Amino acid sequence: MSTRALASRIKEVTSDRKLWRSIILVHRSTFGWQWLLTTLRSFASLAPQYFMYRLILILEVDPILAGPKAAMWLALLGLAQIAYPWIEAWSLWLGWCHVALPVNMELSGLIVEKSMRKKDTKGIKFNDHQVEGKESENADGHGDLQEHHASRGARQEPTSVGTLDEINLVSVDVERVSDFLSYNGMFLGLTTSIAISLWFLLSIIRVQSILIGLGGVSVFIPLNMVAKKGYSNAQNDLMSAHDMKTATVSEALRGVRQVKYGLENGDQTTELTAPTGPTFFAAIALSTVSLHQGGISPAVAFTSLAIFQRLESTLGLVPELLTDFVNARVSLGRIEAFLNSPERIDETYNADNITFDDVSIAWPSNDEISPRSFMLHNLNLAFPKHELSLIVGPTGSGKSLLLQAIIGEADVLNGTVRRPHPNLHYPIQSVNLPGKDWILPGHTAFVAQTAWIENESLRGNILFGLPFCPTRYATVLDACALSPDIATMEHGDLTGIGSHGVNLSGGQRARLTMARALYSRAEVIVMDDVF
């Protein structure tokens, strides 16, 4: 099943539900089988101790006459040793293949889909020494500008939602959630295993002995609870700092072919284990029994030690499981906050050409627009259809903001922006028509200042999923002066250009993205300072 189909299952049931409830609802049958297998696994893990206890009891009475019964319990002991790894492997396979992988694909698909719809927000914070912005009005009265961000002392920082970097969400948070869900049944399994162990011990050891042992171990519980709460808070702060680090490093190392962003669990995870607890428990309990009864039978001694050893390994998993639960809860909260972040709303109206009627625009923001924010006011513009229009001005004058408004990516504060809207139901990749029939009315291609390039061949980046039309392709290459560059490449236009176009120069990357826009079937091409 594709990622899009898997993600749609979560979307269908999410609506007003919490994300974790939607995940459980979608995978409820798989979770049911997982919890059933985990419960059976808990019984199978303690079955050998029970069979060993019965075997030793028979051998204590009369080893010679205990042949048939001893053989039966011995056979059951062997079967229990075989059944446990079989059930464990089945449970692990179900958890990874039918829970972890689907949930990973579903959450990744939702994040990628949301990233295409969410606002591209950039918050601006000003210090106390911020110089008030200047207002200027064009001579023809077509607009005025508040240029606060260019003043001395202003600094750009992402907003709170914007810091939830999609890279971290997919590579770290989704992995933590899916990994935990693959073995979430261990909560039920550990509870069942501890309950069975205590019941078994109660049947062969005095209640007073177990209570005395539990009293000695109880001193470790408050320490673990305090440590878990502190770890949860520290983990949330750590992930926020990790988001900021990723944004900074990715900007500084944009030319690197591949950078893996992640934290090694071994370096960042605090071990919250108390291995001396069960051992202390066993020592106190068996000592109490020995003092009270004047000794311990082999059946009770060996079986109790085996159960205590099993109980020690079981209790040793509890802090680690709680730590993973806290990590998964924090990560799921971050994912849900990202999925609930405001989406971009196209505030433009459909028309034959692009016009601005008394429009005021600002950069996208999830917060209320501040009077000190960068804005363009009272814009009255009309761009001629099928003609070349140039927007010129000094750095920081709002040229990019105006272009963002044309493609529907800016916040329209007032006024009306009209532009051609595409027919989204038209299959732009299904036909290969030459000439003017290639152009689809209403479609717009945007070329950003920073080249966006796939880890593909040069031809694949230009076609961008469209069918190959040799005549148009050759014309575009000549228009963008890419033919001489292709002639120097070993495999021509089929040469791989690497992630982010690392094998190309800055000028080649700019001409490549421009070639993609020219080859597209868009009627309107918007280019933001690509030269």
Side-chain angles (χ1 to χ4, degrees):
M1 187 177 293
S2 65
T3 302
R4 178 176 296 179
L6 288 170
S8 64
R9 298 194 306 176
I10 297 291
K11 290 174 59 179
E12 290 175 359
V13 300
T14 299
S15 60
D16 57 345
R17 293 187 179 92
K18 290 289 187 179
L19 183 58
W20 65 270
R21 291 181 180 177
S22 301
I23 295 175
I24 293 177
L25 183 61
V26 170
H27 299 280
R28 57 186 180 277
S29 60
T30 306
F31 284 138
W33 277 105
Q34 187 183 26
W35 296 335
L36 176 62
L37 288 175
T38 306
T39 305
L40 293 177
R41 178 178 164 186
S42 301
F43 281 97
S45 66
L46 291 169
Q49 283 77 22
Y50 176 76
F51 296 145
M52 181 181 69
Y53 175 71
R54 302 298 300 182
L55 176 62
I56 297 177
L57 280 180
I58 294 175
L59 295 177
E60 284 180 354
V61 176
D62 191 343
I64 298 177
L65 300 178
K69 290 186 178 180
M72 179 190 69
W73 290 114
L74 187 61
L76 291 175
L77 178 62
L79 290 176
Q81 295 285 3
I82 296 174
Y84 175 73
W86 181 78
I87 297 176
E88 183 181 31
W90 188 9
S91 176
L92 292 176
W93 171 80
L94 186 69
W96 284 106
C97 296
H98 291 271
V99 177
L101 289 179
V103 169
N104 191 302
M105 296 176 65
E106 289 164 357
L107 294 180
S108 298
L110 289 175
I111 291 172
V112 172
E113 185 177 337
K114 177 68 176 186
S115 66
M116 303 301 293
R117 304 194 311 267
K118 78 179 187 71
K119 279 187 173 185
D120 185 15
T121 58
K122 294 181 178 64
I124 298 177
K125 294 183 178 180
F126 301 91
N127 60 29
D128 295 336
H129 302 287
Q130 174 69 35
V131 179
E132 291 297 328
K134 299 179 180 180
E135 294 187 6
S136 61
E137 184 171 346
N138 296 340
D140 56 2
H142 284 181
D144 58 67
L145 165 68
Q146 291 184 346
E147 192 177 352
H148 296 293
H149 80 295
S151 303
R152 185 184 303 273
R155 57 191 181 96
Q156 185 102 5
E157 292 183 359
T159 59
S160 57
V161 175
T163 59
L164 299 180
D165 192 355
E166 292 90 332
I167 296 177
N168 282 340
L169 291 175
V170 173
S171 65
V172 179
D173 295 294
V174 170
E175 289 291 332
R176 285 181 173 178
V177 173
S178 59
D179 288 350
F180 173 75
L181 291 179
S182 68
Y183 51 81
N184 75 92
M186 290 184 65
F187 272 116
L188 178 60
L190 293 180
T191 303
T192 305
S193 181
I194 293 173
I196 297 173
S197 299
L198 293 177
W199 171 82
F200 199 180
L201 288 173
L202 286 172
S203 64
I204 61 178
I205 300 179
R206 293 174 58 85
V207 177
Q208 293 85 345
S209 302
I210 296 179
L211 292 179
I212 293 174
L214 288 176
V217 178
S218 61
V219 297
F220 294 98
I221 297 177
L223 298 177
N224 277 338
M225 296 300 295
V226 173
K228 183 176 75 68
K229 183 177 180 180
Y231 178 82
S232 176
N233 296 332
Q235 186 65 28
N236 205 0
D237 295 339
L238 176 65
M239 292 307 300
S240 298
H242 187 214
D243 287 332
M244 297 300 297
K245 184 206 73 172
T246 300
T248 303
V249 173
S250 62
E251 185 68 23
L253 302 179
R254 188 173 295 277
V256 176
R257 184 181 300 271
Q258 288 181 348
V259 179
K260 181 179 180 181
Y261 301 99
L263 294 176
E264 295 296 331
N265 292 334
D267 297 334
Q268 300 294 337
T269 303
T270 303
E271 291 283 340
L272 303 177
T273 58
T276 59
T279 304
F280 188 51
F281 182 15
I284 294 177
L286 293 179
S287 298
T288 305
V289 173
S290 178
L291 291 174
H292 185 270
Q293 298 180 353
I296 303 177
S297 65
V300 173
F302 287 110
T303 305
S304 299
L305 289 175
I307 295 176
F308 281 128
Q309 184 180 8
R310 189 70 191 177
L311 191 60
E312 179 177 357
S313 62
T314 301
L315 292 177
L317 292 175
V318 173
E320 182 179 355
L321 190 61
L322 289 176
T323 299
D324 293 341
F325 169 73
V326 171
N327 290 340
R329 186 182 64 177
V330 171
S331 294
L332 193 63
R334 287 161 47 83
I335 294 172
E336 190 165 18
F338 177 81
L339 296 179
N340 293 333
S341 61
E343 296 185 1
R344 174 179 55 84
I345 300 176
D346 190 355
E347 300 178 286
T348 64
Y349 295 87
N350 191 18
D352 291 336
N353 60 338
I354 301 172
T355 60
F356 287 69
D357 297 332
D358 196 23
V359 173
S360 296
I361 54 177
W363 288 106
S365 175
N366 295 329
D367 304 320
E368 184 178 354
I369 301 297
S370 170
R372 303 173 68 189
S373 300
F374 184 91
M375 291 179 285
L376 295 176
H377 288 285
N378 306 327
L379 297 174
N380 291 281
L381 304 170
F383 294 89
K385 190 174 183 179
H386 298 162
E387 298 289 341
L388 177 64
S389 299
L390 301 178
I391 301 174
V392 297
T395 301
S397 59
K399 302 184 297 296
S400 296
L401 176 57
L402 182 58
L403 296 179
Q404 292 291 321
I406 292 176
I407 62 176
E409 294 283 351
D411 282 346
V412 179
L413 306 181
N414 59 269
T416 303
V417 178
R418 294 182 175 87
R419 67 183 182 94
H421 284 191
N423 181 3
L424 299 179
H425 300 288
Y426 193 91
I428 64 173
Q429 299 174 337
S430 62
V431 292
N432 184 7
L433 300 174
K436 64 179 181 179
D437 294 330
W438 175 272
I439 302 301
L440 294 178
H443 285 259
T444 302
F446 178 68
V447 184
Q449 292 185 18
T450 302
W452 190 91
I453 298 177
E454 287 186 317
N455 189 4
E456 244 275 17
S457 66
L458 188 141
R459 177 187 292 187
N461 271 279
I462 294 177
L463 299 184
F464 208 56
L466 293 176
F468 180 64
C469 179
T471 303
R472 184 176 183 83
Y473 182 74
T475 303
V476 168
L477 292 182
D478 292 337
C480 296
L482 285 173
S483 298
D485 299 302
I486 293 176
T488 63
M489 298 180 180
E490 181 179 359
H491 301 290
D493 62 350
L494 299 180
T495 301
I497 57 179
S499 178
H500 303 296
V502 67
N503 297 328
L504 301 179
S505 66
Q508 289 173 330
R509 288 196 291 267
R511 286 182 281 126
L512 173 59
T513 54
M514 186 168 61
R516 179 194 300 152
L518 294 178
Y519 186 83
S520 71
R521 306 186 66 183
E523 180 185 25
V524 179
I525 297 179
V526 179
M527 295 185 290
D528 188 1
D529 193 19
V530 296
F531 302 104

